[in-house]
Amino acid sequence: MEKNLLVLLKEKRVFEPPKKLVQEANVTKWMKKKKIKNYEDLLKKAKDSEWFWKEAAKEIVSWKKPYKKVLEWKNHYAKWFVGAKYNIVFDALEKHKNKKKIAYIWEGEPEGEIKKISYKELNVQVNKLANALKKLGIKKGDRIGIYLPMIPELPVAMLACAKLGAVHSVVFSGFSANAFEERINDEQANLVITCDSFYRKGKTIPLKKQTDEALLEAPSVKNCIVIKRTGEEVPWNKKMDLWWHEITEKESSNCKTEILDANDPLFILYTSGTTGKPKGIIHAHGGYAVGTGITLKWVFDLKEKDIWWCAADVGWITGHSYIVYAPLILGATSVMYEGAPNFPEPDRWWEIVDRHKVSVLYTSPTAIRMFMHFGDEWLEKHSLKSLRLLGSVGEPINPEAWIWYHEKIGKGKCPIMDTWWQTETGSHCITPLPITPLKPGSATKPFPGIQADVYDKKGKPITNAGGELVLLNPWPGMLQGIYKNPEKYQKTYWEMYPEVYLAGDVARKDKDGYFWVQGRDSDVLKVAGHRIGNSEIESALVSHACVAEAAVIGKPDEIKGEKIAAYVILRKGTEVSDELKKELAKHVGKEIGKLARPSEIWFVDDLPKTRSGKIMRRIIKAKVLGQDTGNISTLSNPEAVEELLDAK
Ligand code: WTA
């Protein structure tokens, strides 16, 4: 981090946006209509955020019944477009239901497997599933756990839930059975949707089997709908399992969309925080539609002819917002790919870009660094000339990766939209527009209508120094709370500074008002762009019979940004061995998922603690990375700090 910070402080390059792009941009057209002169003028006008979001809503949604009030702000909860009747499905699907235009170009991992699904077909599939769900008793407010890989049925399932007013909760298919079980129990899911198995790096992953393990301890779930993806044989529970193709086959292709309140919940998405238990972030139909729709339209400038590829997984917020809802609201054509980026070879993505003429590509710094590492020879066979705009999300992008992405993928002509946002924010918050001068490594400025700042510990704005990133006023994509946990909501986001939203990131604002996000504060890791709580991994470790205590820290990693290092105190009498390290890593994989497996495990006799017994991760990290640990005399066991260097 320190080294990165120095690199960022030295970064002085500015990339002006190409003139033609600026002239033709969606945002430029809108500015002309509103007689707004330029980017700075736009940001200034949009400081009247209620005016701005009211205007943005006009660009994106058609209410079933108009709202009475733009915003109601109470006790840190925002209700947007109060009184409006709505369902996101009206804009994401019904509006386009007769279009032959392709909604998804889908590629399976096995080569040659390509499906194109039109808006019309998508609508039929959604309606059939919604009708089948209704027959199973699913209704408004029910929770549906969706445990699926990147196959077209995933957006179909989400939309069918939304259509009925049921709340979907998608769990990333890379999470383990235990992680799925924890989530469906927290939300008391009524039904789950999964598939037999799916392809990843040439192998199949047995998702139905994992689902069955989760369902052993999930009494609220009455049915399990299974999609046939690979055709592999699966265990079957006659009492609750149903094949998707069988229950949808005879259903009607019409189904009424429930008219809801704009603030009714659309989904719950679990994300990591400071405690061992993930929190269920809630998003509602109306505001979320406006936030995601307008950001995709303006930041990535999507036009009728674009081929959009957000190469994230739908299991994370990036996929919810920018593979499912926003592109559908805009009626765009999206690419969706099931498998690994380097299967069968490291140029699979570039093959996909050329084959489908992708014009806008959105991915993560980890992916970019991985492609850099594979070597430029993998780009030689591919022209990539269809690309016109690029995007980055999920973690800070180092200027070196930014420049490589710009030169090698964008051939020097595609601006890079480095978008900062979170599961909680629903849509981009700090991000360039195609009219913004870019500085490599900076997410530039807040999106119009959003106001952000960097505060010191006392809550004073600071420039050119690291501090807490905060958002000053509510925005429509904002979370509606944490599922069944209002205390945690207040504590996590509103306790440090009572009047502003605490993002939990460390950032710097430069003299031009550009934001440089440096990373999460110490309680959450970002490994390959995936958000994982240190304490989630620690609780997984201590749930192993041999472990007494554990502390998890992130160490810098050239490709993944951060890698997971665990410092473990074993129970008395446990033999230290490499086998045990492997077993512990495997155990974490089973508890959370492979993505959370530590890359390094170190055995220690003691861990530095405060007098109240809190393990000091920050000090462990500083010590093992050879940095200044600061004052350690107030610890209850300062000698433990030096002993870290004897870890085995
Ligand atoms: C990090 C992902 C720097 C940040 C959309 C944030 C970023 C967390 C950027 C949210 C970016 C996301 N530059 N850091 N452009 N985008 N982050 O909830 O630490 O998975 O708080 O949402 O990712 O992660 P989440």
Side-chain angles (χ1 to χ4, degrees), residues 271 317-318 392-396 418-424 503 505 517 519-520 526 529 531:
T271 189
I317 190 69
T318 306
S392 172
V393 61
E395 45 182 321
D418 174 4
T419 62
W420 177 90
W421 59 295
Q422 309 177 297
T423 305
E424 292 87 339
D505 278 357
V517 179
R520 297 289 308 184
K526 266 283 173 167
R531 183 165 158 185

Side-chain angles (χ1 to χ4, degrees), residues 103-165:
Y104 290 108
I105 304 173
W106 176 80
E107 280 210 13
E109 192 183 76
E111 278 188 294
E113 195 183 10
I114 295 173
K115 267 192 213 163
K116 293 187 179 175
I117 300 145
S118 69
Y119 274 91
K120 203 170 164 177
E121 287 166 84
L122 189 67
N123 186 56
V124 168
Q125 287 189 31
V126 169
N127 286 345
K128 281 176 172 270
L129 180 66
N131 283 326
L133 288 173
K134 261 202 226 169
K135 282 214 177 117
L136 294 169
I138 297 304
K139 54 184 190 317
K140 183 180 165 189
D142 287 352
R143 277 90 43 228
I144 313 291
I146 302 180
Y147 193 29
L148 283 176
M150 288 287 286
I151 54 177
E153 287 86 349
L154 175 48
V156 171
M158 293 160 77
L159 292 160
C161 293
K163 181 157 219 180
L164 303 178

